[in-house]
Amino acid sequence: MNQQKRIEILTRLRDNNPHPTTELNFSSPFELLIAVILSAQATDKGVNKATDKLFSVANTPEKIYALGVDGLKEYIKTIGLYNSKAENIIKTCKDLIDKHHSQVPDNREALEALAGVGRKTANVVLNTAFGQPTIAVDTHIFRVANRTGFAPGKDVVKVEEKLLKVVPEEFKVDVHHWLILHGRYTCIARKPRCGSCLIEDLCEFKEKTDV
C-alpha cells in the first residue's frame, strides 16, 4: 500500500471520529491500568460490568490491595482468567504503593515490570492515560492491518513496528483507537462488512463482501 492511500484512510477515520478513546470505563490512570489488565481475553463490556462495581468500592492501589486476592475475585469472577488476574492485580497494587508512591508510572520499563502488564497493556496505558504516540496491537488491529494491506506483518510486534514507521505523527496518538473500533464493528473477523465500510475503496483486501 502506498503512503498516499494510508493518509487518505487515516484522514477518513479521523473525520468520522475526531476524538476516539477506549471503550473501557475509567476515571484515572490507575483505573485504566486495572481495566486493561482485566481486558485480556475478555470483552470491554464484560470488564466494564465488573469494574463499575469494583471501582465504586475500591479505586486506588491501597483499597484494592486491602481487598486481598479473594476479596478482589468476588468482583471480577465473571471475567475470564480471573484467578491469575486477581493475583497479578494485588501484586501490581503492592508494587505501585511500595515503588511508585501509588502512582501509575508513565514509562514503558516501569509499567512492564508490573505483574500482569505486557507490552500491549503498557502501550494502551501510555497512549490513553498519558497521550503518548504508542500503538497497542491487539487481535483487531492485527487483523485490520493485515487484511487491508495497511501495515502487514506476521506477528503483533512486526505490525506495531510497521505502523510506527508508516503512520504520520499527526495521526499516531489516535490510530490505535481508530483501528480497534474499525476491527470491532466493521472489519470483523468472520465476515468483514465491506458494504458499509468508509475505506472500502482504499482497502486492498481481495475477497470483499457486499454486506
Side-chain angles (χ1 to χ4, degrees):
M1 182 175 285
N2 65 48
Q3 193 63 356
Q4 195 179 344
K5 208 186 262 192
R6 288 193 186 98
I7 289 169
E8 178 58 27
I9 285 173
L10 293 168
T11 302
R12 285 189 200 177
L13 292 173
R14 179 174 65 186
D15 289 348
N16 183 58
N17 186 1
H19 306 291
T21 188
T22 179
E23 293 190 312
L24 292 167
N25 295 339
F26 73 99
S27 59
S28 68
F30 175 70
E31 286 188 3
L32 177 67
L33 173 63
I34 299 307
V36 179
I37 292 172
L38 290 172
S39 72
Q41 293 179 45
T43 65
D44 286 1
K45 211 173 177 179
V47 172
N48 288 338
K49 225 172 181 176
T51 57
D52 286 350
K53 289 176 185 165
L54 171 64
F55 293 156
S56 66
V57 173
N59 66 345
T60 65
E62 288 82 3
K63 285 178 181 171
I64 289 185
Y65 185 69
L67 290 175
V69 173
D70 290 337
L72 177 56
K73 280 182 192 177
E74 284 305 304
Y75 289 94
I76 65 169
K77 61 188 177 187
T78 52
I79 296 172
L81 311 175
Y82 73 93
N83 285 313
S84 58
K85 287 175 181 177
E87 287 180 17
N88 283 334
I89 286 170
I90 293 299
K91 283 179 193 162
T92 279
C93 288
K94 181 91 169 74
D95 278 350
L96 290 175
I97 295 163
D98 292 348
K99 299 174 184 174
H100 301 287
H101 309 288
S102 298
Q103 299 299 308
V104 175
D106 62 356
N107 69 85
R108 178 186 302 286
E109 195 182 355
L111 279 169
E112 288 189 16
L114 298 170
V117 178
R119 184 176 183 85
K120 190 180 83 175
T121 297
N123 277 340
V124 173
V125 173
L126 291 171
N127 177 278
T128 306
F130 301 112
Q132 295 185 24
T134 56
I135 302 172
V137 178
D138 69 349
T139 52
H140 296 301
I141 293 181
F142 183 76
R143 179 173 66 256
V144 172
N146 276 290
R147 188 186 269 166
T148 60
F150 190 97
K154 66 179 190 296
D155 57 50
V156 291
V157 175
K158 288 278 180 289
V159 168
E160 182 187 335
E161 287 169 355
K162 180 86 172 170
L163 285 168
L164 288 168
K165 194 175 165 188
V166 301
V167 173
E169 286 302 318
E170 65 175 300
F171 299 107
K172 260 192 189 139
V173 170
D174 292 325
V175 69
H176 156 83
H177 297 300
W178 290 324
L179 294 181
I180 278 186
L181 293 169
H182 193 66
R184 191 172 283 165
Y185 297 111
T186 304
C187 198
I188 56 178
R190 283 189 181 174
K191 193 177 183 186
R193 296 169 175 151
C194 303
S196 57
C197 175
L198 81 164
I199 59 165
E200 193 250 356
D201 57 315
L202 301 165
C203 168
E204 297 181 356
F205 183 50
K206 290 189 170 52
E207 299 155 40
K208 289 183 179 157
T209 68
D210 297 327
V211 184

